[in-house]
Each structure stands twice: as C-alpha cells, then as structure tokens.
Amino acid sequence: MHLYPIILTVLAHCVKSSSATWEELDNLHFGGRWWRDNDSMKHSWGVGTFIVRFRGSSELVMQMTSSWVGAYYTCQVDGGPEVKLFHDNQIDYFQVAAGLSPSKEHIVRCGRNNEASWGPTIIDGIVLDPNGELLQAVDPNAGNTMLRFEAIGDSITAGFKATATTAAEPSTIANQDVFQTYVRYMADAWGTNDYNVIAKSGVSILDYGTTGVVMSQEFPCREFWDTWQEGCPQLHDFSSWQADVVTINLGTNDFAFGDPTKEAFREGYLSFIQDVRQKYPNALIACMEPILDSCAVNQPILTDIVDGLEQAVIDMNDEKVIYYETGSPADPWLVCATDYTDYTHPTVVGNEKFAARMLESTSITDDIRRFFPEKCGGTGASCQVGAPTAAIPTPSPVPITIPTTVIELAPTVMHSEESRLIAFVGNWQACPSDAQLAQYTHIIISFAVSYTWSPNKNICSQQCDIAAPLTCGNTARPDLIQRWQEQGKKVLLSFGGAGMGGSWSGDVNDCWEYCYGKEEKVVDRLADIVNEVGFDGIDIDYEYFYEDNQNGSGFTKGTQAQTFLRDITVGLRNKLPIGSELTHAPMEPDMEPGRGYFNVLKEIAEDTLDFLMPQYYNGYVRSYTNFSGALSHFTAITDQMFGGNPNKIVYGFCISDCGSFNLDGDQSAQVMEWLSEEYPCNGGAFFWVANDDTNGDWSKVVKDQLQIDSSTASCSGNTEPTGPTTTPVAPVSTPSRSPIAMVNPTTVPVAPVSIPVQGSKCLAIPQAELPAGSWATNDAACALCGADYTWWPCDVQSPSPLCRCDNGSPPVSSPVNPPTSSPVNPSTRTPVNPPTRAPTNPPTRSSVNLPTSTIVAGSDCTAIPQEELPSGSWATTVEYCALCETGDHPWWPCDVQNPPLCRCHEAIEIRLRRRLGAPTSH
C-alpha cells in the first residue's frame, strides 16, 4: 500500500474546505516582517527567517512560492553547517532537508538570500512523512537576550553581485546573497541571529525620478512596493519587534543618479533618521558614510553627500544617533580594484573586510556595549558577554531513564585489535541503549572542550580551561560509565571536536589557539579528569590548522600547533595511569604523508599511541566507491607511521551526518571485508555517532563482519597493548605542501555536503583567461583533479587546460581533446579497476512523491552503472553526478542525454533539460 505524505496545513493552491484552519503554521517561528495572508504566511523584506520543528519524518518539504523567478535560501538543519538552496518558483514544493532520522526531533532554520524587489515568499504548507508530527518552534530570542539588529541600505546591503566573479557578470538571484554581506559578519560578531535587512537595489534618499520609491517611503511599509503601485499596500506594525541597533548605509545611489547639494541631502537624510527614531525610540542608529567615498576621489557630489549626512547627524542632537566614517582616500578600507566586483559593490572578501574594519576601526561595538551592556559585554570588536546560549533552541533535555529490565552483557576482558568496534557518543545526545552497547568494544565520550557554545562563534576560554565533561543526554553520568566498564567496555574521553576550530572554509572558531603554549596545563587537566571520572583513556580530536597558511587561511601558528600536538600526546602518555589508552582521530587528508600533523605523529606514534583513528568520511576519499584510494591511504599510514603494523589503525565511518560520505551497515561491512583481504590484522572500525546507530542496526552488521574477519585471520598476540612512555621529541618542521580539499566535518545531522571547492588544490581557470573555443568550468569540477581524477575536466589540455593546480600547472600532462557534450573516449586510458567483489546495492529510501529542488548530496543524482549503458557510452562516477543535483550545472556529465550518464530526481532533470533547451516531457 502506498502511503501518501501528510500535509499539515490546508494548501492554498488546492481546493480547501470551508472549515479549514491554518493553526499548524502557527507552530512555525517567523523572524522578520512576515504577515498573514489568508491561509498563508507572506514575507518581503529580508532576511525573513522561518524555523520548523518536527519529528517522525525523514524530510521536510515546504509548499511555497518564491518571488517571480525563484529564490535562494540559506538553511541549517539541527544546528549544522549552512547550505544555500534554490527554490524554482515553477515548482510549488521545496524540499529543504532529507535523509534525516525519523526517530529523532529536528529543527530546520532558513532565511532568504535575495532582496525584496524580486517578489515575495509565500508559505502555504508543510509536508512531512506519513508519521511526521509538527511541533511548536521557539523564538531563539524569546528571552530578548540577543541584540535585535536591523540593517537599512541599498544594493550593497542587499548583497547585489556579492558572489559575482567579474564586473561583466550580470546581476542574478544566484550571485546576490545577503548572507555574504557585511551585515551578516557584523551580526555574527555581535552574537545575534535576530536581524532584519531592509534593502533595495537602486534606492536613494532623495527622489531623482530614476531610482524608484525612496527609502523614506519603503522603510515604513511591511513589504517592498514600486512606482507602478498607488502607494504602500500596508504599513508595518513596528510594535511587534523593536530594534536595538539600526545601521543605515545609504547615499551611494544619490551620488550615482543625482546631483544633490549638501543642504538638500542633509534635509532628506535628517527627515529619514527622524522617522527611524520615531519607529525605534530606544535604538542606537548608526549612520554610515558611503564606503564608495574611499574610491571616488575628488568627486564634489559625493563630498556634498557625505558632508550633508554628517551634518544631519549633528542636527539630530541625539546621543544614540552616531556617524561612522568608513575609510578615506588616504586610508581606504577596501582595495578599489579588487575588493569590488565593479568598483561599487563589494565582493564576499570585500564585505568581510568592510565588516572587520567597521568593527575594529570604529567605536560601534563599544557604543553598543555602552547602551546595551546586558546584551554585549566584554571588550574588543565582538560581543563576548551576554551572547545567547543557543542560536536555534532545542527543547529541554528529556530525563534519561534507565530501564528496570536490563540486558546483562557478558563482560569481555580483552578485545582482539582486529575486532574493535568503537562508538563516539555525543554528550548532548541521548545515551546509547543496551541494544547498541551489545556491539561496542569502546565508547568515546565527545567532547571535552575549552569554550562556551555560542551561535556564531564559540566563546573560547583564553586560559584554555577545560570544563568538566558531560556523558550523554546533556548530563554527567558516572553511573553509566561504571556500568559500561563492568560490561567489558572501555570508555574514553575525546578532547576537541569541530567546535574548538576547524580548518575548512567558513569556520570561525579558533579555541585551539588559546591552548598553544599551555600544553602542561592541558595534560594535567585531562589526566585529572581521567582519574576523577575513571575514564580508560583519552582521544585527541584535532581538526584545526597545523601549517602556516594552510588552505589559504593566513594561519601563522603552524609551529606552535605542531608543538602542541606533539607535547600533549607525549605528556598524556607519561601522565595517564598505567593501562590507559591514548589515540588521535584525525581527518583523512591530515594523515597524508608530508602533512605537518602526519609528520608529528610519525615521530612519536609508535611510542605513544595505542591506535590511530583516521576519519575516512572527512576528506575526499569515499571508501565505498573509491576503496582503492582509501586503501592506498591506509597503506601509507601503516608503512610510514607504524612500521607495517595495521592493527594500530582503526578505520573510520559515518552513519548519517556526513552527506555523500555516509555509509550504511552493509556498505561499511563490505569496506571492512575488502580491508581484511589486504590487511587481515587491521585495527577494527570506529564510527560517528552512536545516536545514529538506531537499535544497533548499523553496528550489528559491522560487528558480524569484524568477527568473521577476525576468525579467519592469524594475528598472534593481538590484544590491546598499553603504549610505553617516552621522552619528548624534537619539534616537527612545518612542510610546505599545498592544502588538500576536504568537507566540513559535522557533529550534528546536516543538509547536503557538496564536492569540496574551497581549499582544493585545483581551481577553474576563469573564462577571461581561456582562448576562443574553450569554455570555463567551475571550482567544484576542478576540485576532483586534486584527487587523482583522470577524466574531464582534468584531462583537457588543448587548446587550453580548464583547471590550474598547485603552482599553476595543469592537472595532467598528456594532451587529449576536450569533450563537447560527452566525455573523452575512455578507451584512450586504462580504467580504474573496482574491488574484486561487487558492492552491495545501497538501500533505497521512499520519498515524498512531489517535485523537489534539493536533496541530500549523493542520493539524487547517481551514476548509471556501466552494465546499464549501451555500447559506446561510458559510465562516470557518483562524484561527478553530484554536480547535477542542483540542476544548475549544464555541462558534462549533466548535459549528456542520449543516453544520460546520471540518474536524477525528475525535477532536477526537468531543470537541466530547460537549461539545455531540450524537451521537458518524458
């Protein structure tokens, strides 16, 4: 029987009964200028966040419309990384999240990237799985502990062409992104996500007949309106939300389209800020000098505008209305030729620089601190005190009740190394059940940290004070630790995790840096925790920078980082009680020979570590589809770090938090079988995270395979050893190797993870640098060339390479002809041989039978196997088909249609066909 999804509201585009209510939409939280429109919720001015809380569903689908041409949204699932999604307005249904665990509660938060002038967003309904339940979402700022921030401005504030790469690139919804503007970066620094953006491209203070409705008329209106309308459709109710801080960034269009005198602009600006003051009686109103003034040298019109603006602020005679300079021709905040896309609109980097200078070179944060000390304390450019405890609130932890009927597990005194099955347990997640525990040999509590969690940037302890760790369920449970140990489990504590700081693009946390130079303090504190709680050892989970300028970050503390890693490892080995286990869980790319982290452990691992746990889910090697690559990596560690002893290496998996790197139990068991064929005495397996091992379903399959492998292996004496002590070794020199592409590690369920781009070794050559007849690709495609990928675009050499790797060299040396709409004939090179055993088919997931636009990476566009393709067609890989998932990549292999090389969701295929000019009917 087919189960249709439940629709939790009566949908506006369907026939409704007369008794219809839309109380279900009341369960959502809407941030910004939303309003009711019959049975729907409608929004115009940015950023228009909406928060949905639900359980019992593997996905969240919104029934909605988005402006006239569609819109982009930035969404976050369960506090994970933010992902930019496109909603095609030709499709009423917008799948925001998928691949979620139906047994858990989920919170999804989204905001719109595009400005109001594109048209409104209208939410009509929510679609969940048949057993899904919509819960009441909570306002993250219900307690009014965060700053309420409103940014008023023009196209610069709206993110016009923020992500454009050239001045010639036309403005589109794709390259406009309010979340890549100075507004977002300033909000992050102030510890708030409760902010609005009232911005319109082309808007001015004075009316010149060419800039549309002026801001003084737009600002009071609840929605954007234009000159063809008779007036504002409806005034906004300002009593519903009162801003603490208002920034005004206007005047650029008065310079571009008008010729105002100082006095005329002063009058217009003064009238506007008087209206803002009337609407927000207690707000700090920050009047910003147009940043263009730094580049438009000797322009009398702009000088009059700036002088008039400054005089208007003086005339207000209000201590909470303050004028802020934004640089000068002598000291420009941005590089005029490179930090703007067109000498007017800042790039993403330009916006970051603008925000940084605004925060560091003006008194704005100190002024906020002066007027709102309860919401912004501390010192410096950021609000460090009074920040909220959660960006997206979660319900209070449900008390964990230990069942009265306990499954008694036979204690195991020793585990053979090749049968280790190690589970990470998130201490904010539910405690593992007995059904799960039955499979585990080790439990690693995650994490001990030296920070207080904060939504935009964790608040680091500047003295690297490590707090007493919780166990699970947000509670300290020494009773459970003792019980697990009595059942024969070893219970370790992991220090670190992504919240301490990560080396991937976009991460702002840097708490590791406050621990450099405090190695002895860290060692003593961790050893004390082990002794106090009774842990069986320590895991180091370091995912931060360790080389100077790693991944192009500008990081300068490579030597200190490597010294820290070496000294805490050696120190813990010496300090921990006899019999304690010590391990590291590094990301896979960090364990590539020649990297600084690898070199540190290479010098000391045999004398200090009981085992090493590489994360074969955070990097670029996909164990199931590219086992040969994973095996090569495993072999390098075995031979170069442990003298050929594989039982020191525990293989890492991820169940559901890591996008296309996720592997189910059958797939993971297959990988371990392949590994045992090469290394029968390997160190076993570990996985992230126990909370996703529902009923032990994943671990049962993997444990069975480990036992089979162990029973057929002849590994004499492989019981878990205690590492010997050692004396400190000399510092490891920092290598000069270029960065490796990686994905953002996660500790909570996340939305799609895409092919690595930022930090990749190979980047796309811009169209402007290519000769006639060559067409540029993108960084996502070129990122594959850094991982021994020998197909298009990596093999293109004539008439020009499409990718530039490392120091400017192309990815391969043998020239081949570039493809037009089909790949280069694979017969010209030897294909990579797959593992000898055919992979187990991954399980399929029943999904909502509706058109969607965004689904979990790796699940919606998969490579069609070679055996299903006709003669003359050659299969590609799942990595390449992942490029087709947004429907916005109209190049190979997505453009190949007769026959197709990728199998995508119907909505994606329709969008690709539209872009290719192909018929959309099947």
Side-chain angles (χ1 to χ4, degrees), residues 758-771:
Q758 189 72 22
S760 298
K761 292 189 293 186
C762 298
L763 300 175
I765 297 175
Q767 183 65 55
E769 298 181 24
L770 294 174

Side-chain angles (χ1 to χ4, degrees), residues 213 309 628:
V213 180
L309 190 164
S628 60

